[in-house]
């Protein structure tokens, strides 16, 4: 099934941040946390008047920059009316928080779903996922938006069955004007392009590098640049030090390898655009290929290990932060943090 995902349950809207009383309009479930990130937590929530189920991203206002960042996120999401890109419904500011109400998708993170033992991951599945991600990116780029944080965690499944995915998290996205030299110094090491690591000008092709890394991972379960620590990872990126692991890629088609090879290229201008990706033979004739190829990819086992390691790392960081917080509150000073 390669039908496009359903549009959001509401028409695209232009959202403006407003002050308001959240509890009179929305039932926000404090227990049902969908995920957490640098800026806060994402909860399930229902609009009282309509019963519409939504995802509420609660962002703590800690510094002056936080509101500025959220306003950028809203501005970007207002441009993006596409079924593979998560839609924004409302945005409310309270004295301590800003809450973004978004289309809710219930299938969870793509990588979490495909590591399930009951899931039979084939190369055609990967094509279906990558095609949709490219459709979303093509629209974003057409609207002059760079995502700049494309990674597996930001690809969600629409439902627990089927193959439909949507891109989320426009928290680091930027409007792009090719006349202005945009540089950024954020992102997740494993998925960063050499130009970001070098603090050089970014462009549409910066997202395409990350697309290449995600595709490589889907096909193999390996993260091509991951080192023992962030410095090692960043050095691997800078050297564009990657290869197709012979054993893991043994059963992967040459078309797939060609697709990846045309994205993970150090020189920005050498990378395919999202439109070119959609024209690439690997992402075409899917129905025909589905009839011929039903082999389970080896990548599933390795992806499971990758996801488990990531979960462990996240929990470990969470526990460390909680311990540091305990120390601070018991000592009543910031010295416990070494500040
Ligand atoms: P990070 O620090 O990882 O970049 P963040 O603070 O920017 O995170 P998001 O990535 O937007 O926050 O969301 C965090 C998690 O919440 C996601 O990984 C996902 O699991 C869940 N989530 C976010 N948006 C939705 C949504 N619309 N529907 C369902 N779940 C969602």
């Amino acid at each position: 099934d390669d039908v496009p995902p359903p549009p959001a349950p509401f028409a695209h809207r232009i959202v403006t941040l407003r002050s308001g009383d959240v509890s009179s309009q929305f039932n926000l479930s404090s227990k049902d946390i969908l995920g957490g990130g640098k800026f806060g937590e994402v909860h399930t929530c229902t609009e009282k008047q309509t019963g519409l189920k939504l995802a509420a991203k609660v962002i703590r206002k800690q510094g002056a920059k936080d509101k500025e960042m959220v306003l950028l996120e809203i501005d970007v999401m207002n441009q993006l009316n596409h079924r593979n890109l998560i839609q924004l419904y409302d945005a409310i500011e309270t004295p301590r928080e800003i809450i973004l109400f978004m289309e809710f998708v219930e299938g969870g993170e793509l990588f979490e779903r495909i590591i399930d033992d009951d899931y039979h991951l084939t190369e055609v599945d990967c094509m279906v996922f990558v095609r949709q991600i490219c459709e979303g990116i093509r629209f974003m780029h057409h609207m002059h938006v760079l995502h700049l944080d494309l990674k597996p965690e930001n690809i969600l499944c629409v439902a627990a069955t089927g193959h439909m995915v949507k891109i989320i998290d426009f928290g680091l996205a930027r409007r792009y004007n090719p006349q202005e030299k945009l540089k950024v110094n954020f992102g997740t090491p494993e998925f960063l392009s050499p130009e970001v690591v070098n603090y050089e000008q970014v462009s549409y092709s910066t997202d395409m590098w990350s697309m290449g890394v995600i595709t490589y991972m889907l096909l193999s379960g390996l993260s091509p640049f991951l080192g023992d620590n962030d410095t090692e990872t960043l050095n691997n990126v800078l050297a564009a030090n990657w290869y197709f692991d012979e054993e893991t890629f043994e059963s992967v088609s040459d078309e797939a390898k060609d697709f990846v090879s045309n994205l993970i290229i150090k020189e920005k201008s050498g990378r395919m655009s999202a439109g070119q990706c959609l024209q690439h033979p690997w992402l075409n004739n899917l129905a025909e290929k589905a009839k011929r190829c039903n082999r389970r990819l080896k990548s599933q086992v390795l992806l499971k290990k990758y996801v488990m390691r990531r979960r462990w790392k996240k929990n470990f960081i969470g526990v460390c932060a909680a311990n540091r917080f305990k120390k601070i509150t018991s000592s009543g000073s910031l010295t416990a943090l070494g500040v």
Side-chain angles (χ1 to χ4, degrees):
D1 81 77
D2 60 348
V3 284
F10 52 87
H12 178 75
R13 355 164 100 200
I14 301 298
V15 171
T16 324
L17 183 63
R18 62 189 175 93
S19 303
D21 171 30
V22 173
S23 58
S24 64
Q25 295 162 70
F26 296 96
N27 273 326
L28 212 144
S29 162
S30 56
K31 279 194 214 118
D32 199 359
I33 298 176
L34 293 163
K38 293 180 286 291
F39 308 107
E41 281 167 349
V42 182
H43 300 253
T44 54
C45 132
T46 345
E47 188 181 36
K48 286 187 174 170
Q49 205 184 357
T50 58
L52 181 66
K53 193 162 182 189
L54 296 159
K57 182 166 172 177
V58 182
I59 300 145
R60 291 178 296 269
K61 288 195 286 182
Q62 287 164 322
K65 282 247 166 210
D66 292 336
K67 183 168 172 180
E68 230 174 86
M69 295 281 288
V70 184
L71 287 172
L72 266 180
E73 189 167 347
I74 295 171
D75 177 48
V76 160
M77 291 185 86
N78 279 337
Q79 314 297 315
L80 304 178
N81 179 9
H82 191 274
R83 45 176 77 216
N84 290 113
L85 307 174
I86 211 80
Q87 297 295 298
L88 184 62
Y89 186 73
D90 203 349
I92 299 184
E93 181 171 20
T94 69
R96 276 200 259 153
E97 292 159 342
I98 296 177
I99 300 148
L100 297 184
F101 297 90
M102 295 172 291
E103 167 191 7
F104 169 65
V105 284
E106 58 187 34
E109 288 176 23
L110 172 63
F111 274 23
E112 294 275 355
R113 164 123 194 274
I114 60 178
I115 59 168
D116 196 294
D117 291 336
D118 294 335
Y119 192 93
H120 185 92
L121 181 73
T122 69
E123 192 176 315
V124 178
D125 289 331
C126 298
M127 296 173 202
V128 174
F129 296 134
V130 172
R131 232 198 120 78
Q132 294 173 77
I133 305 169
C134 287
E135 301 263 11
I137 300 178
R138 181 172 60 176
F139 185 83
M140 249 178 347
H141 290 179
H142 175 69
M143 298 309 287
H144 307 286
V145 167
L146 308 183
H147 187 284
L148 299 175
D149 196 22
L150 287 172
K151 56 182 176 180
E153 281 160 280
N154 287 337
I155 313 295
L156 295 191
C157 295
V158 171
T161 56
H163 286 80
M164 297 154 190
V165 294
K166 298 201 184 212
I167 301 175
I168 61 159
D169 194 1
F170 297 91
L172 300 179
R174 292 286 177 275
R175 293 252 231 155
Y176 179 60
N177 172 357
Q179 261 77 57
E180 289 166 14
K181 289 195 167 75
L182 178 65
K183 293 176 180 181
V184 296
N185 60 352
F186 46 63
T188 310
E190 282 169 82
F191 306 97
L192 291 183
S193 62
E195 61 271 18
V196 174
V197 180
N198 267 333
Y199 195 55
E200 288 166 1
Q201 203 179 335
V202 293
S203 73
Y204 300 121
S205 45
T206 304
D207 282 336
M208 300 321 295
W209 170 281
S210 311
M211 182 72 255
V213 177
I214 295 170
T215 310
Y216 182 106
M217 291 182 75
L218 270 169
L219 292 166
S220 68
L222 301 169
S223 181
F225 299 104
L226 187 65
D228 287 337
N229 52 52
D230 284 352
T231 313
E232 210 176 288
T233 303
L234 296 175
N235 280 332
N236 289 337
V237 171
L238 282 181
N241 182 13
W242 72 280
Y243 59 96
F244 290 118
D245 178 77
E246 217 172 290
E247 203 192 322
T248 338
F249 277 91
E250 193 184 43
S251 57
V252 171
S253 72
D254 287 340
E255 270 180 12
K257 289 187 229 172
D258 184 74
F259 182 86
V260 173
S261 306
N262 278 295
L263 289 171
I264 315 184
I265 296 177
K266 191 167 183 179
E267 178 53 46
K268 277 188 289 182
S269 60
R271 299 173 205 154
M272 289 190 287
S273 66
Q276 286 170 326
C277 285
L278 289 163
Q279 301 287 320
H280 189 280
W282 188 57
L283 292 188
N284 285 285
N285 299 322
L286 302 202
E288 184 52 41
K289 286 174 185 165
K291 281 186 218 150
R292 280 187 279 120
C293 152
N294 192 29
R295 196 190 302 132
R296 197 173 190 151
L297 280 179
K298 283 184 186 172
S299 68
Q300 230 178 329
V301 181
L302 294 170
L303 269 179
K304 193 168 188 166
K305 280 191 189 158
Y306 173 83
V307 170
M308 297 295 182
R309 214 179 315 125
R310 196 187 62 188
R311 254 189 236 160
W312 181 87
K313 219 169 143 184
K314 251 192 173 171
N315 290 341
F316 179 73
I317 292 167
V319 170
C320 288
N323 286 343
R324 275 209 308 273
F325 182 69
K326 250 196 237 161
K327 267 192 193 171
I328 298 166
T329 45
S330 60
S331 72
S333 80
L334 286 175
T335 47
L337 264 179
V339 177

